[in-house]
């Protein structure tokens, strides 16, 4: 009975020996009593018997008590999950609870068999700690509690919490040590994990934890540092607070779709710091599952890659950009040229390659030095950039040679040539302006060679050679000019340039005149559309189709359009003075470029003011091409003019692109059915149905409708049956000079 002390056991043993002696004596006395019958002789044994009986009773009680205590002790100790033991001073185990098996893998017998068995279980790294503890408890005897590791019989390492204190006998002498040992392996593991998680979370990488609804519930210091937000500003928000606006909803939708499918996502995103700065980051998001298997949280790590991006950009800059001017270098130019070829082959548009060489650049370098040369090159680069559209390319080949690629020109070669010439002229005029080089004023001129290309079959080297040849021809021609590689293109462009100069002169010298074409309704002339003509000295009367496009391209449409408006308004004010013409309106064609000029509205008001024409008699004919530009601006301008009384008609309706939504928003008074639908309105059912649609559209939008190009009574009658009652066309009168128009009234 390992649970009892030795004293108890010695006590029990002596009592049982005494009992045996007394019992044998009693039986002997009984024989004696029976044979003697002497009462006197009976007294001694009776007394002895009583004492014996008492003794036996006492022993019995003690035994029962002891058994009861043992039972109680076992009930408590044997079934406790903690492993408890009592070790004597000698090291022998007086008691080891059955839980030793659970904790150490060793049986109670293993403990009873070997003194200080516990010592052998201590994990090597913790032996020092254990020795110290054993030394302490043996010496000082004060209770101790420590956490250490043991190696189980199966070789596992387990964390235990070891509590122990010494036990003294009645005299106060230490007789052993009692101990309770708890398995705290799981707790230690959890603690370690928490510790590690906290360490990881406090890493220098910004981290964020949200709940399953993406509401931020934790963020680390690094995150606050990197975003500029404090923790309190972030908690309760969603990561949308960081959105930069650079990604659309679809982008975020895709991220969440991937996370839902795979549990994680990583990639590059642009986000916004509190300061407003937008920066790139590498974002990693993982879904963290809860005990129920559903997503409980999202953990995201945000690596700021601003520096990396800068470095990448730097490398790219070095490889693809000219260090002096920042323009693409030869390598990038060749790549862009290849791209331009592919795109032009696909779209069927021409592109142009312009080679620009600065005249006498060497002289500047030699006289003023390279510093000045570099300054000039930088300014030239800036000016070139300003001459082209964003999707065109300006590159520096090296030295004083620059290259420009013009993309998406016309699909008609001659038109593309003209467009190229326009840009070339712009470049020449820009580069001709004086340069400020430190204190010195400098003048420089370019010689430009140009060549057109369309498909990807053209060879890049050939193209550069062609532009080079053309550039030398422009040097030969006296510099500061542009030459085409193709001589035919050259003549087209030359003719056009001559015509531009002539037209400019015609506008200045008042060689333009207006013809008036009647607009009628119900047999009455409502007014006239004015159509411009060019009274050319050699060619005679030139129709607008031959010079309006040129005027639009060159910007001459602005002075031209202004002259037409002035002439029309002056006429209106003259008509206003006579009763028979007072009611007449004048329709003026306004091209998109003219309408979009910043001062268009002011110009109209100025002219109305100057001529004293009634705005109510003026109608502006706009075309659908206006609606592909900034519609909001168009609408705003129209409303301002409309408020003054000016009317609007949409010319050539049906030939361009008109969105119904826009149409509804424009303050239009009239739709003008294009003459191309009227021409075959009787024979072509398709044209007839378009005309019909336009008429009902006008009715629905509460606008008027007029048909142009009406040449026969049949056409007029048909239009009338469709509901169109206003007409313009040869049937009612050709465009004629004012005198003729007035006498026809
Ligand atoms: P538009 O505004 O559509 O003018 C109608 C054109 O149709 C005029 O040609 C007119 O002469 C012609 N036309 C009129 N009735 C008939 C007909 O019954 N049959 C046929 N076949 N043709 C008819 P025009 O005068 O040659 O003008 C051509 C275009 O030039 C105009 O088309 C307009 O877009 C533009 N234009 C004319 N004058 C000006 C102007 O002052 N400024 C601007 N920006 N453009 C103008
Ligand atoms: Mg018109
Ligand atoms: Mg028209």
């Amino acid at each position: 009975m390992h649970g009892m002390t030795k004293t108890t056991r010695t006590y029990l043993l002596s009592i049982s020996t005494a009992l045996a002696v007394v019992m044998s004596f009693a039986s002997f006395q009984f024989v004696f009593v029976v044979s003697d019958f002497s009462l006197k002789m009976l007294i001694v044994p009776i007394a002895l018997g009583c004492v014996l009986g008492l003794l036996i009773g006492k022993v019995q009680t003690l035994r029962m008590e002891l058994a009861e205590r043992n039972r109680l002790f076992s009930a408590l100790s044997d079934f406790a999950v903690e492993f408890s033991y009592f070790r004597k001073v000698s090291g022998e185990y007086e008691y080891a609870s059955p839980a030793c098996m659970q904790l150490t893998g060793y049986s109670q017998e293993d403990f009873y068999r070997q003194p200080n068995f516990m010592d052998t279980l201590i994990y090597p790294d913790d032996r020092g700690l254990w020795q110290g503890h054993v030394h302490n408890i043996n010496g000082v005897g004060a209770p101790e509690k420590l956490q250490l590791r043991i190696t189980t019989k199966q070789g596992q390492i387990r964390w235990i919490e070891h509590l122990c204190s010494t036990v003294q006998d009645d005299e106060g002498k230490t007789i052993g040590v009692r101990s309770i040992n708890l398995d705290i392996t799981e707790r230690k593991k959890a603690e370690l994990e928490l510790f590690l998680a906290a360490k990881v979370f406090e890493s220098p990488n910004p981290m964020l934890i949200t709940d399953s609804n993406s509401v931020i519930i934790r963020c680390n210091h690094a995150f606050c540092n990197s975003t500029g937000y404090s923790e309190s500003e972030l908690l309760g928000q969603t990561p949308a607070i960081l959105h930069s606006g650079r990604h659309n909803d679809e982008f975020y939708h895709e991220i969440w779709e991937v996370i839902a499918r795979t549990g994680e996502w990583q990639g590059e995103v642009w986000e916004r710091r509190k300061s407003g700065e937008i920066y790139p980051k590498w974002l990693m998001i993982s879904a963290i599952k809860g005990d129920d298997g559903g997503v409980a949280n999202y953990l995201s790590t945000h690596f700021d890659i601003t520096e990396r991006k800068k470095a990448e950009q730097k490398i790219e800059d070095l490889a693809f950009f000219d260090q002096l001017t920042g323009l693409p270098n030869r390598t990038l130019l060749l790549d862009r040229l290849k791209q331009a070829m592919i795109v032009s082959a696909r779209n069927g548009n021409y592109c142009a390659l312009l080679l620009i060489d600065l005249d006498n650049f060497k002289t500047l370098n030699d006289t003023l030095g390279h510093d000045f040369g570099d300054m000039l090159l930088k300014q030239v680069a800036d000016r070139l950039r300003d001459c082209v559209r964003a999707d065109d390319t300006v590159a520096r080949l090296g030295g004083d040679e620059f290259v420009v690629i013009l993309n998406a020109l016309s699909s008609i070669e001659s038109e593309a040539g003209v467009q190229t010439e326009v840009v070339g002229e712009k470049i020449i005029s820009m580069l001709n302006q004086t340069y400020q080089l430190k204190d010195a004023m400098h003048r420089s001129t370019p010689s430009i060679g140009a060549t057109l290309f369309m498909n990807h079959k053209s060879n890049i080297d050939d193209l550069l050679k062609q532009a080079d040849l053309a550039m030398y021809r422009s040097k030969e021609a006296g510099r500061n000019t542009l030459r085409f590689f193709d001589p035919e293109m050259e003549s087209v462009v030359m003719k056009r340039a001559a015509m531009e100069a002539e037209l400019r002169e015609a506008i200045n010298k008042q060689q333009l005149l207006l013809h008036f074409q009647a607009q009628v309704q119900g047999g009455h002339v409502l007014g006239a559309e004015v159509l411009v003509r060019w009274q050319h000295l050699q060619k005679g009367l030139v129709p607008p189709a031959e010079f309006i496009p040129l005027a639009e391209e060159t910007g001459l449409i602005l002075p031209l359009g202004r002259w037409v408006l002035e002439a029309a308004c002056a006429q209106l004010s003259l008509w206003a003075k006579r009763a028979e013409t007072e009611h007449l309106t004048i329709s003026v064609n306004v091209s998109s470029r003219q309408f979009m000029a910043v001062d268009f509205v002011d110009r109209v008001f100025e002219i109305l003011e100057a001529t004293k024409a009634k705005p109510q008699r003026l109608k502006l004919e706009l075309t659908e091409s206006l609606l592909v530009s900034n519609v909001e601006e168009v609408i705003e301008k129209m409303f301002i003019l409309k408020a003054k009384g000016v009317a609007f008609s949409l010319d050539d309706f049906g030939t361009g692109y008109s969105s119904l939504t826009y149409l509804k928003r424009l303050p239009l008074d009239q739709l003008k059915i294009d003459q191309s639908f009227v021409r075959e309105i009787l024979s072509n059912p398709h044209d007839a149905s378009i005309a019909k649609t336009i008429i009902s559209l006008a009715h629905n939008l509460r606008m008027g409708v007029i048909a142009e190009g009406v040449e026969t009574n049949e056409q007029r009658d048909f239009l009338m049956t469709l509901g169109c009652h206003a007409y313009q066309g040869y049937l009612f009168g050709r465009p004629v000079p004012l005198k003729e128009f007035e006498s026809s009234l």
Side-chain angles (χ1 to χ4, degrees):
M1 183 72 249
H2 291 274
M4 279 177 246
T5 61
K6 193 175 179 189
T7 347
T8 330
R9 266 196 282 161
T10 326
Y11 184 47
L12 280 175
L13 201 72
S14 45
I15 288 173
S16 39
T17 323
L19 254 178
V21 172
V22 170
M23 288 292 273
S24 51
F25 186 73
S27 55
F28 167 75
Q29 280 301 314
F30 181 70
V31 175
F32 177 76
V33 169
V34 170
S35 61
D36 201 343
F37 295 105
S38 161
L39 257 168
K40 205 176 157 194
M41 288 300 278
L42 275 175
I43 290 164
V44 173
I46 286 168
L48 267 170
C50 285
V51 171
L52 252 176
L54 274 169
L55 267 172
I56 291 167
K58 184 72 188 167
V59 167
Q60 212 84 28
T61 321
L62 267 171
R63 240 190 191 165
M64 276 159 69
E65 261 178 34
L66 206 63
E68 184 59 28
R69 279 193 190 183
N70 273 332
R71 258 202 308 282
L72 255 167
F73 181 75
S74 294
L76 290 170
S77 299
D78 291 1
F79 298 102
V81 284
E82 303 89 38
F83 163 45
S84 52
Y85 64 74
F86 177 79
R87 175 177 64 72
K88 294 191 288 186
V89 173
S90 64
E92 280 171 286
Y93 291 87
E94 184 85 32
Y95 174 73
S97 77
C100 63
M101 178 62 97
Q102 183 74 16
L103 184 72
T104 67
Y106 291 99
S107 66
Q108 290 169 288
E109 279 64 39
D110 289 323
F111 278 81
Y112 295 143
R113 209 177 295 128
Q114 187 180 338
N116 293 320
F117 186 61
M118 193 68 186
D119 296 6
T120 65
L121 305 183
I122 306 303
Y123 183 67
D125 286 1
D126 292 344
R127 284 207 183 128
L129 176 73
W130 177 253
Q131 296 301 332
H133 158 68
V134 169
H135 182 263
N136 250 5
I137 196 85
N138 288 345
V140 188
E144 281 210 8
K145 180 176 174 181
L146 70 156
Q147 294 182 350
L148 40 67
R149 286 161 290 179
I150 58 165
T151 310
T152 67
K153 190 175 184 181
Q154 292 76 21
Q156 291 166 330
I157 293 164
R158 221 165 251 177
W159 273 98
I160 61 166
E161 186 162 79
H162 175 82
L163 290 127
C164 80
S165 62
T166 50
V167 178
Q168 278 78 30
D169 65 8
D170 296 343
E171 283 104 53
K173 194 170 143 244
T174 299
I175 53 169
V177 173
R178 60 179 162 201
S179 163
I180 293 178
N181 300 277
L182 297 160
D183 185 348
I184 56 164
T185 313
E186 287 308 315
R187 197 175 89 197
K188 274 283 176 190
K189 228 201 254 170
E191 274 174 16
L192 186 70
E193 273 167 17
L194 267 176
F195 174 75
L196 285 177
K199 274 274 169 253
V200 169
F201 200 66
E202 279 318 316
S203 81
N205 295 321
M207 287 186 189
L208 197 65
I209 299 178
T210 72
D211 65 11
S212 57
N213 295 318
S214 291
V215 174
I216 299 171
I217 53 169
R218 273 203 73 181
C219 59
N220 65 3
H221 288 307
F223 190 87
C224 294
N225 290 342
S226 144
T227 59
Y229 287 103
S230 68
E231 192 177 3
S232 60
E233 285 173 319
L234 288 165
L235 300 188
Q237 299 282 348
T238 70
I241 189 177
L242 306 164
H243 286 186
S244 64
R246 282 213 190 172
H247 308 289
N248 55 17
D249 292 348
E250 205 179 313
F251 176 82
Y252 294 107
H253 185 80
E254 269 170 30
I255 292 180
W256 288 109
E257 194 269 319
V258 172
I259 295 172
R261 199 158 29 81
T262 66
E264 56 190 20
W265 181 88
Q266 54 175 303
E268 207 176 290
V269 289
W270 288 85
E271 293 203 324
R272 188 191 297 273
R273 297 189 218 272
K274 192 185 174 186
S275 65
E277 182 198 345
I278 292 174
Y279 69 112
K281 58 166 68 167
W282 187 261
L283 178 62
M284 294 166 78
I285 307 175
S286 338
I288 300 168
K289 296 220 165 117
D291 293 338
D292 60 354
V295 173
N297 300 91
Y298 294 101
L299 169 73
S300 55
T301 316
H302 305 238
F303 300 96
D304 188 337
I305 53 169
T306 312
E307 291 309 315
R308 196 185 85 193
K309 280 262 157 196
K310 274 190 200 158
E312 281 173 7
Q313 187 61 49
K314 185 86 201 142
I315 291 167
E316 190 174 313
D317 284 359
L318 285 171
F320 296 113
F321 292 89
D322 170 44
Q323 293 306 294
L324 178 69
T325 60
L327 292 177
N329 63 13
R330 192 186 183 94
T331 315
L332 188 54
L333 169 77
L334 296 182
D335 189 63
R336 296 262 176 97
L337 208 45
K338 212 185 293 170
Q339 285 304 316
M341 284 174 172
I342 293 167
V343 174
S344 79
R346 191 165 55 222
N347 300 349
N349 291 323
Y350 274 92
C351 296
L353 181 73
L354 280 72
L355 184 71
I356 302 151
D357 186 280
L358 302 183
D359 301 327
N360 307 316
F361 179 72
K362 201 174 166 295
T363 322
L364 168 77
N365 251 352
D366 292 347
T367 53
L368 289 177
H370 285 270
D371 272 7
F372 281 80
D374 285 357
M375 257 183 265
L376 178 72
L377 292 173
K378 275 196 220 170
Q379 292 185 30
V380 166
D382 291 343
R383 292 184 189 186
L384 285 175
R385 259 190 288 246
D386 289 343
C387 287
V388 300
R389 293 175 302 186
D391 54 346
D392 293 332
T393 294
V394 179
R396 181 174 172 224
L397 269 192
D400 61 342
E401 278 190 332
F402 294 86
V403 167
V404 168
I405 305 172
L406 301 179
N407 292 306
L409 300 174
S410 168
S411 55
I412 301 159
E413 196 176 11
S414 61
E415 277 183 16
V418 166
Q419 290 170 322
T420 306
E421 202 258 350
V422 169
V423 179
E425 285 305 326
K426 191 171 166 193
I427 290 174
I428 290 174
S429 105
M430 289 283 271
L431 298 193
N432 267 270
Q433 283 160 35
T434 36
Y435 297 84
Q436 178 90 45
L437 307 178
K438 286 195 188 148
D439 296 336
M441 299 296 278
H442 181 76
R443 280 194 164 270
S444 169
T445 57
S447 292
I448 306 177
T451 187
L452 297 179
F453 62 94
M454 153 97 82
N455 55 47
H456 55 290
K457 284 181 207 107
S458 353
N459 177 297
I460 290 184
D461 286 338
D462 287 352
L463 280 179
L464 284 167
K465 265 185 221 147
Q466 290 174 4
D468 204 45
L469 272 171
M471 193 271 289
Y472 275 103
R473 288 192 36 225
S474 110
K475 292 251 181 214
E476 282 164 14
R479 302 198 159 119
N480 201 19
T481 183
L482 176 136
R483 284 289 177 272
F484 275 88
F485 168 71
D486 179 3
E488 251 175 69
M489 180 58 58
E490 192 96 12
S491 73
V492 169
V493 167
M494 298 274 265
K495 264 190 212 149
R496 183 186 170 281
M499 187 163 160
E500 186 190 335
E502 278 179 345
L503 181 60
R504 200 179 294 276
E505 203 175 273
I507 297 167
N508 291 337
K509 293 193 173 164
Q510 309 273 326
Q511 290 170 2
L512 299 176
L513 60 103
L514 291 182
H515 277 186
F516 292 70
Q517 185 176 32
Q519 295 186 328
V520 300
Q521 181 164 11
H524 301 288
V525 175
L526 299 174
E529 176 179 7
V530 288
L531 296 153
V532 70
R533 268 80 182 117
W534 179 0
Q535 186 68 62
H536 196 277
L537 296 175
Q538 287 90 42
K539 295 182 203 159
L541 214 55
V542 183
E546 285 179 31
F547 62 92
I548 291 286
L550 177 72
E552 281 173 343
E553 275 167 32
T554 54
L556 285 174
I557 194 72
L558 300 178
L560 187 152
R562 187 181 172 157
W563 176 84
V564 174
L565 256 175
E566 276 168 353
C569 289
Q571 191 54 52
L572 277 177
S573 110
L574 286 176
W575 280 349
K577 293 185 179 123
R578 291 177 3 230
E580 65 273 29
T581 52
E582 191 269 336
H583 66 284
L584 293 175
T585 60
I586 290 186
S587 294
V588 175
N589 292 289
V590 175
S591 71
S592 301
R593 184 161 176 186
Q594 189 186 352
F595 189 84
M596 292 313 288
V598 274
D599 58 353
F600 179 74
V601 174
D602 294 341
R603 289 279 160 278
V604 176
F605 286 168
E606 255 172 48
I607 294 167
L608 286 170
E609 183 71 28
T611 56
K612 301 274 177 284
K614 266 194 194 155
Q616 291 73 13
R617 298 281 181 271
L618 179 65
K619 196 192 286 173
L620 302 182
E621 290 197 5
L622 308 177
T623 59
E624 289 166 285
S625 67
L626 195 61
L627 301 180
V628 291
S629 48
N630 190 346
V631 182
E632 299 307 321
E633 194 184 327
V634 171
I635 293 173
E636 195 191 327
K637 284 183 167 180
M638 284 176 78
F639 269 102
I640 299 174
L641 289 162
K642 178 99 189 140
K644 190 92 175 174
V646 177
F648 289 100
S649 179
L650 199 56
D651 204 356
D652 307 339
F653 190 69
T655 57
Y657 161 83
S658 275
S659 145
L660 271 183
T661 32
Y662 289 157
L663 215 54
K664 245 169 55 186
R665 295 179 55 203
L666 300 175
L668 284 167
D669 301 270
Q670 189 180 59
L671 294 183
K672 200 166 184 186
I673 306 170
D674 188 64
Q675 50 181 283
S676 61
F677 305 118
V678 176
R679 199 174 301 132
E680 291 173 22
I681 200 164
L682 298 169
S683 55
N684 187 336
H686 184 67
D687 287 350
S689 89
I690 290 178
K692 193 175 167 187
T693 307
I694 296 173
I695 293 163
S696 64
L697 185 67
H699 290 333
N700 285 331
L701 295 174
R702 303 190 189 290
M703 296 174 189
V705 61
I706 184 169
E708 68 180 351
V710 182
E711 297 183 355
T712 65
N713 283 317
E714 289 75 16
Q715 287 170 339
R716 191 248 346 251
D717 293 345
F718 188 76
L719 283 159
M720 202 185 302
T721 60
L722 294 182
C724 172
H725 305 287
Y727 321 99
Q728 181 182 343
Y730 297 166
L731 178 63
F732 308 95
R734 290 185 174 252
V736 287
L738 176 70
K739 282 232 162 59
E740 242 170 276
F741 175 75
E742 284 184 337
S743 55
S744 75
L745 284 172

